[in-house]
Amino acid sequence: MPIAKTIDRRLFLAGAAGASLAGAANATLIAPGASAAEARALEAVAAYLEAHRRHYGLPAMGMVVVAGGRPFTILSGTRDYRETQPLSGDELWQIGSISKSFLALACLSLQAEGKLTLDDELRQHLPEALLPGVSSGGPFTIRGLLDHTTGLPDFAPALGEKLWRGFNAGKGWSYSNTGYDLVGQALSRIEGKPVKQIIEERVCKPLGMTDTRGAIQWRDRSRYPASYSPLRPDRPVLPGMALAPAPWVDANLAAGSVAAPLADMAKYLNFLIAVGQGKGAPLLTDVQARLWLENPVVQNPASPAETYGLGLMHRTDEGRPLLHHTGGMVCFSSSFHVDAAAGLGAFASCAVGGMNYRPRLITLYALRALRAAAAGAAIPAPPALGALPGDAGDYVGSYSDGQTQLDILPGLVVVLDGARVPLQAEGGGLFVTAHPGLVEWPLVAVRREKAVIALDHGGRRFVRSGVNAPLPATTPEIAALAGHYQSDDPWIGGVAIVARGDQLFLGGAGAMRRTGKLEWVPADPPNSPERLRFDALVNGVPQVMIWSGRRLERRDV
């Protein structure tokens, strides 16, 4: 049943009420060969993608779904900054950290040729790496780096500075782009060529992904959709917030620099489906395919079913094992899910960065909808956008900071200074809102024996009526550390440091723990490898902040 039709947003099944709308075009579905049941499922997926784009104010989204080896494409939005040209379907999308699985495949390929093993210590191939000694916490094996279990920080400079670790090898899990970039440097040393070329030759070409790029470069910029980032990155991100053209950044990082058109990503999804079924051709032997998926490590002991191994997240949904990863770049955000047993895969990307948004709900819903179609069942409703959390009633009440009263009404509506504005739940007791008196910082719930006793906002605390929960005093020394710190490197951007009580908070929400006079680490998790250090004090006020080896300058306004 050939399909090439526009999906009207009225087909959206749930959660569209009150959504802000972005752009005039609706999603276009291209689904040659789809059965009637598949067509209904794909129309629901396209409507859900369109609702996401409009709810979050995204300029362009592209998606490819594969079922039984066949690719189906969904396009929504425009590809130019004037918002006049619809997507054509041949655009390049920056897939971000989904690239990590490409690097893992390159390692498996080199292992098959005897050029390395996953158990090799990195310094066997990259002696320039300034890593802690093996005696201080165990080896930095290639597998450990690909599994994020060596204790390295996330985004510290890979070369040029002495690195450190937050925990011993194999004794924890912490996502590390730095580790992947080090592995990429090692592969470049082994092969005598850039990691971009290694990925293209060893992964992309054998899979027929001939239009995929192993690096992001200016010369290809006209192939990408126009990309955006928040106009006010110093504020919490809200659905539908104003966007501005994002800076362009060339990238040749092993941690995430692959860019691909949707047609090529369909080929990659089909390959992952085959791997999940135990078949490695044309890149791997069947034995290697099984090796790739064996022994993933637990990311968080509190969620033992969520594991990671060699560039792939292992997840479950409705009792089914899935392969998954997301990717975030300066100006793109992506996601894929694969249900190998069902022969299904979905990849989606949007041309916006800096929002902490990933289209993972869309790719997951695509699998659910197509599984239902294959079973002859009704197409399920997708997860609602902006739905209230299950504990929404916990926050209802009156709060005061000693001068101003703040009320939370049922339905998570905040009332302050006579204005009523909805709260947007971000998870974990974190809320953002467009209320003009609260838009600068998130509201952070404070609990005592499970009861919400206060809401922290910036440097102040709103205490629930009838509760005693004062903030500790903020010393002048700690207050002097607070401020806005920025880098002109778009990868780093800026961060606001809030002094609240006797603690510092990144962005007003991430609690920090003091480890020295001018040194702090994240309070959670306790073994975090990230490090914060203040420097260049003038009259007791730091003018520089070093975040895990990256320099940011104080730019208060």
Side-chain angles (χ1 to χ4, degrees), residues 186 205 256 291 466:
K205 289 183 180 178
L291 171 65

Side-chain angles (χ1 to χ4, degrees), residues 209-341:
M209 300 174 66
T210 56
D211 207 15
T212 295
R213 309 292 194 263
I216 297 161
Q217 299 173 302
W218 274 101
R219 68 186 66 168
D220 297 319
R221 188 173 184 183
S222 62
R223 291 284 312 279
Y224 293 88
S227 54
Y228 296 80
S229 58
L231 181 66
R232 286 288 303 271
D234 59 321
R235 288 183 172 180
V237 174
L238 290 162
M241 71 186 302
L243 302 175
W248 178 266
V249 181
D250 278 6
N252 186 22
L253 303 171
S257 294
V258 172
L262 296 177
D264 278 8
M265 288 307 297
K267 296 174 182 177
Y268 194 59
L269 292 174
N270 278 322
F271 171 67
L272 290 175
I273 290 170
V275 168
Q277 296 173 352
K279 296 172 285 190
L283 290 183
L284 308 172
T285 67
D286 292 352
V287 171
Q288 287 177 305
R290 291 192 293 272
L291 171 65
W292 191 18
L293 304 186
E294 284 179 352
N295 302 317
V297 297
V298 174
Q299 294 178 223
N300 182 351
S303 303
E306 296 187 355
T307 60
Y308 194 102
L310 301 180
L312 292 172
M313 298 176 182
H314 296 251
R315 296 292 186 266
T316 59
D317 180 57
E318 299 178 340
R320 306 180 65 87
L322 305 180
L323 299 177
H324 171 54
H325 216 292
T326 62
M329 301 292 280
V330 170
C331 51
F332 280 82
S333 299
S334 304
S335 171
F336 84 81
H337 279 92
V338 161
D339 183 336

Side-chain angles (χ1 to χ4, degrees), residues 36 76 107 136 218 483:
S76 181
C107 289
S136 67
W218 274 101

Side-chain angles (χ1 to χ4, degrees), residues 483-500:
H484 287 80
Y485 298 83
Q486 289 185 332
S487 167
D488 292 332
D489 181 346
W491 286 106
I492 306 169
V495 62
I497 303 293
V498 171
R500 188 162 63 237

Side-chain angles (χ1 to χ4, degrees), residues 109-488:
S109 173
L110 288 166
Q111 178 171 260
E113 296 176 7
K115 295 182 176 180
L116 61 77
T117 76
L118 296 182
D119 294 325
D120 286 351
E121 220 281 343
L122 179 78
R123 281 166 288 204
Q124 293 176 230
H125 305 287
L126 191 68
E128 296 89 345
L130 300 177
L131 296 167
V134 172
S135 62
S136 67
F140 290 86
T141 65
I142 290 175
R143 175 182 282 279
L145 293 163
L146 296 179
D147 285 352
H148 304 295
T149 60
T150 63
L152 286 178
D154 181 14
F155 198 58
L159 295 172
E161 294 186 21
K162 181 73 173 180
L163 290 167
W164 63 93
R165 65 194 333 164
F167 50 84
N168 292 344
K171 301 302 182 182
W173 191 92
S174 187
Y175 196 85
S176 176
N177 285 294
T178 301
Y180 268 76
D181 289 336
L182 286 169
V183 173
Q185 293 285 351
L187 267 58
S188 293
R189 164 67 69 81
I190 293 169
E191 291 290 88
K193 59 184 68 172
V195 69
K196 162 189 181 295
Q197 188 176 346
I198 297 170
I199 288 173
E200 290 176 356
E201 292 176 353
R202 290 186 172 269
V203 181
C204 301
K205 289 183 180 178
L207 292 178
M209 300 174 66
T210 56
D211 207 15
T212 295
R213 309 292 194 263
I216 297 161
Q217 299 173 302
W218 274 101
R219 68 186 66 168
D220 297 319
R221 188 173 184 183
S222 62
R223 291 284 312 279
Y224 293 88
S227 54
Y228 296 80
S229 58
L231 181 66
R232 286 288 303 271
D234 59 321
R235 288 183 172 180
V237 174
L238 290 162
M241 71 186 302
L243 302 175
W248 178 266
V249 181
D250 278 6
N252 186 22
L253 303 171
S257 294
V258 172
L262 296 177
D264 278 8
M265 288 307 297
K267 296 174 182 177
Y268 194 59
L269 292 174
N270 278 322
F271 171 67
L272 290 175
I273 290 170
V275 168
Q277 296 173 352
K279 296 172 285 190
L283 290 183
L284 308 172
T285 67
D286 292 352
V287 171
Q288 287 177 305
R290 291 192 293 272
L291 171 65
W292 191 18
L293 304 186
E294 284 179 352
N295 302 317
V297 297
V298 174
Q299 294 178 223
N300 182 351
S303 303
E306 296 187 355
T307 60
Y308 194 102
L310 301 180
L312 292 172
M313 298 176 182
H314 296 251
R315 296 292 186 266
T316 59
D317 180 57
E318 299 178 340
R320 306 180 65 87
L322 305 180
L323 299 177
H324 171 54
H325 216 292
T326 62
M329 301 292 280
V330 170
C331 51
F332 280 82
S333 299
S334 304
S335 171
F336 84 81
H337 279 92
V338 161
D339 183 336
L344 298 173
F347 166 82
S349 186
C350 64
V352 173
M355 290 180 60
N356 198 30
Y357 169 80
R358 304 290 186 271
R360 58 170 64 90
L361 289 178
I362 303 173
T363 54
L364 184 60
Y365 176 63
L367 302 189
R368 293 176 180 174
L370 282 162
R371 283 200 303 265
I379 306 303
L385 300 178
L388 297 178
D391 62 353
D394 292 358
Y395 308 97
V396 175
S398 296
Y399 304 78
S400 173
D401 67 352
Q403 297 180 337
T404 305
Q405 180 171 316
L406 177 153
D407 295 300
I408 306 294
L409 305 181
L412 288 184
V413 174
V414 62
V415 181
L416 178 67
D417 297 332
R420 300 186 176 201
V421 181
L423 290 175
Q424 174 74 33
E426 296 291 291
L430 191 69
F431 301 89
V432 296
T433 177
H435 191 293
L438 301 169
V439 71
E440 295 287 344
W441 306 104
L443 280 166
V444 183
V446 180
R447 290 181 180 265
R448 179 187 296 159
E449 296 180 353
K450 298 184 178 181
V452 177
I453 60 170
L455 296 171
D456 288 346
H457 181 265
R460 56 182 175 166
R461 168 168 291 180
F462 292 91
V463 179
R464 184 188 285 273
S465 178
V467 173
N468 183 33
L471 277 171
T474 301
T475 66
E477 179 191 14
I478 290 180
L481 304 179
H484 287 80
Y485 298 83
Q486 289 185 332
S487 167
D488 292 332

Side-chain angles (χ1 to χ4, degrees), residues 500-511:
R500 188 162 63 237
D502 57 0
Q503 280 187 282
L504 294 181
F505 294 82
L506 285 176

